[in-house]
Amino acid sequence: MSKKHPIISVTGSSGAGTSTVKHTFDQIFRREGIKAVSIEGDAFHRYNRADMKAELDRRTMEGDNTFSHFSFEANVLDKLESVFQRYGETGRGQTRHYVHDDLEAEKYGVPPGNFTEWADFEDGSDLLFYEGLHGAVSADGIDIAGKADLKIGVVPVINLEWIQKIHRDRASRGYTTEAVTDVILRRMHAYVHCICPQFSETDINFQRVPVVDTSNPFIARWIPTADESLVVIRFKNPRGIDFAYLTSMIQGSWMSRANSIVIPGGKLDLAMQLILTPMILRLVDTARRA
């Protein structure tokens, strides 16, 4: 949207590996001397943990079993859009942090399940980096997608998404499989209507596909590893993408369509470095010259 103050958004659930993707971006920023300000999707939830539980209970009592953090109305997306808008125009903006656990509580001085106060971005940044659930929304009068310059989607196939959620919530939160299943079912409506459409707005999608049996995710004993997965990389506009170079540099990769390349799961970081570094440098170079 803005040549002078570019914005990169990464959209996907935490189970999709967006934290790993953020690490790759951080490596690129550090190596190339790029100063980025980062904002997290969780910062734009509408409710803290206690209020979200109360809202869930209220809606369930009224017969609404589809409300979740995936839902548009559970987030202040107008605020997120305004942050993108302001940054694109001025290079300034605000964000906050959602405090997940005791470790973060010690860091930010706020009890778990609550937000820090809104705070201004540091001055002099080269770009804005967003990572969260709603970085490419274009619906219900909200156009976050139209205000980002480079939009990345990161998503596993659905059964793998469920396996990761079940294992993560059982291990870290003490949930039963039945309790996690209830959460998955509650999220399904918003996943279909709020999350999936965003991956048609993104410029590049990275989709992880396991090559082991995940037909019943609710009894899977292990999460498929990177070596037991492939990653499908789809370019919305393949013009200018040197597929011959990519397939020669990434061992075991091949083109599956005119706009798609398939790579071994363990090569994701390398592929992202090769694909994204020149795109990021182009954005920053244009911004600095502007």
Side-chain angles (χ1 to χ4, degrees), residues 203-204 234-243 246 255 258-260 275 279 282:
D203 300 303
I204 309 172
R234 187 275 295 175
F235 298 86
K236 188 173 187 178
N237 180 6
R239 182 175 298 173
I241 303 299
D242 192 342
F243 287 103
L246 292 175
M255 289 186 66
N259 67 342
S260 301
I275 293 166
M279 294 182 174
R282 197 175 306 124

Side-chain angles (χ1 to χ4, degrees), residues 14 49 100 165 167-176 183 187:
S14 57
R49 188 173 295 164
H100 294 87
K165 170 123 186 98
H167 280 253
R168 185 176 66 250
D169 284 3
R170 287 174 61 183
S172 64
R173 300 177 182 176
Y175 289 6
T176 63
V183 174
R187 287 180 170 182

Side-chain angles (χ1 to χ4, degrees), residues 21 24-25 28 206 268-277:
V21 172
T24 299
F25 271 95
I28 297 172
F206 295 85
L268 176 59
D269 180 74
L270 172 62
M272 295 189 73
Q273 298 270 359
L274 292 171
I275 293 166
L276 297 172
T277 299

Side-chain angles (χ1 to χ4, degrees), residues 12-20 70 131 133 161 164 168 173 187:
S13 66
S14 57
T18 51
S19 58
T20 303
F70 287 14
E131 178 263 310
L133 287 168
E161 172 95 19
Q164 290 173 323
R168 185 176 66 250
R173 300 177 182 176
R187 287 180 170 182

Side-chain angles (χ1 to χ4, degrees), residues 1-8 34 126-128 148-151 276-290:
M1 186 194 77
S2 166
K3 290 183 182 299
K4 195 170 183 181
H5 305 291
I7 298 169
I8 299 173
I34 296 168
D126 294 307
L127 58 82
L128 174 63
D149 300 279
L150 177 60
K151 299 177 287 291
L276 297 172
T277 299
M279 294 182 174
I280 294 168
L281 289 175
R282 197 175 306 124
L283 283 175
V284 172
D285 181 60
T286 301
R288 288 173 176 171
R289 285 189 284 109

Side-chain angles (χ1 to χ4, degrees), residues 14-262:
S14 57
T18 51
S19 58
T20 303
V21 172
K22 184 180 185 308
H23 176 70
T24 299
F25 271 95
D26 287 342
Q27 284 184 307
I28 297 172
F29 296 152
R30 183 172 57 253
R31 185 182 65 236
E32 303 298 338
I34 296 168
K35 182 178 179 181
V37 289
S38 296
I39 58 177
E40 305 155 354
D42 288 358
F44 295 86
H45 288 332
R46 187 177 300 276
Y47 306 103
N48 66 19
R49 188 173 295 164
D51 290 343
M52 183 65 178
K53 185 179 184 306
E55 183 68 10
L56 280 168
D57 291 343
R58 183 186 72 79
R59 288 176 179 255
T60 301
M61 289 287 290
E62 294 176 354
D64 179 3
N65 294 304
T66 65
F67 184 70
S68 73
H69 280 121
F70 287 14
S71 306
F72 289 156
E73 61 269 32
N75 299 272
V76 285
L77 297 184
D78 55 342
K79 173 72 171 177
L80 177 59
E81 183 181 25
S82 71
V83 170
F84 276 32
Q85 176 81 31
R86 184 184 175 197
Y87 186 85
E89 293 172 350
T90 68
R92 297 178 180 274
Q94 287 188 324
T95 191
R96 61 182 178 179
H97 296 282
Y98 178 78
V99 178
H100 294 87
D101 51 36
D102 290 335
L103 193 63
E104 291 186 0
E106 186 176 339
K107 177 180 178 180
Y108 294 112
V110 173
N114 290 280
F115 299 100
T116 63
E117 296 297 323
W118 293 99
D120 292 334
F121 295 160
E122 290 185 21
D123 291 335
S125 62
D126 294 307
L127 58 82
L128 174 63
F129 178 82
Y130 166 92
E131 178 263 310
L133 287 168
H134 299 101
V137 169
S138 183
D140 295 351
I142 298 292
D143 186 23
I144 295 167
K147 295 174 176 60
D149 300 279
L150 177 60
K151 299 177 287 291
I152 309 297
V154 184
V155 60
V157 293
I158 192 69
N159 279 21
L160 178 56
E161 172 95 19
W162 292 348
I163 290 171
Q164 290 173 323
K165 170 123 186 98
I166 291 166
H167 280 253
R168 185 176 66 250
D169 284 3
R170 287 174 61 183
S172 64
R173 300 177 182 176
Y175 289 6
T176 63
T177 300
E178 291 73 22
V180 186
T181 303
D182 288 343
V183 174
I184 289 171
L185 291 173
R186 174 179 286 279
R187 287 180 170 182
M188 190 52 58
H189 181 272
Y191 188 82
V192 170
H193 292 91
C194 302
I195 305 300
C196 286
Q198 296 182 71
F199 299 117
S200 297
E201 301 288 340
T202 45
D203 300 303
I204 309 172
N205 284 335
F206 295 85
Q207 185 175 39
R208 186 177 163 203
V209 182
V211 290
V212 293
D213 182 19
T214 61
S215 52
N216 186 351
F218 303 99
I219 63 168
R221 297 179 63 186
W222 296 282
I223 299 173
T225 65
D227 289 337
E228 295 173 326
S229 307
L230 298 172
V231 176
V232 179
I233 307 171
R234 187 275 295 175
F235 298 86
K236 188 173 187 178
N237 180 6
R239 182 175 298 173
I241 303 299
D242 192 342
F243 287 103
Y245 170 73
L246 292 175
T247 52
S248 69
M249 292 294 290
I250 305 170
Q251 187 175 6
S253 64
W254 72 93
M255 289 186 66
S256 57
R257 285 188 175 176
N259 67 342
S260 301
I261 182 173
V262 182

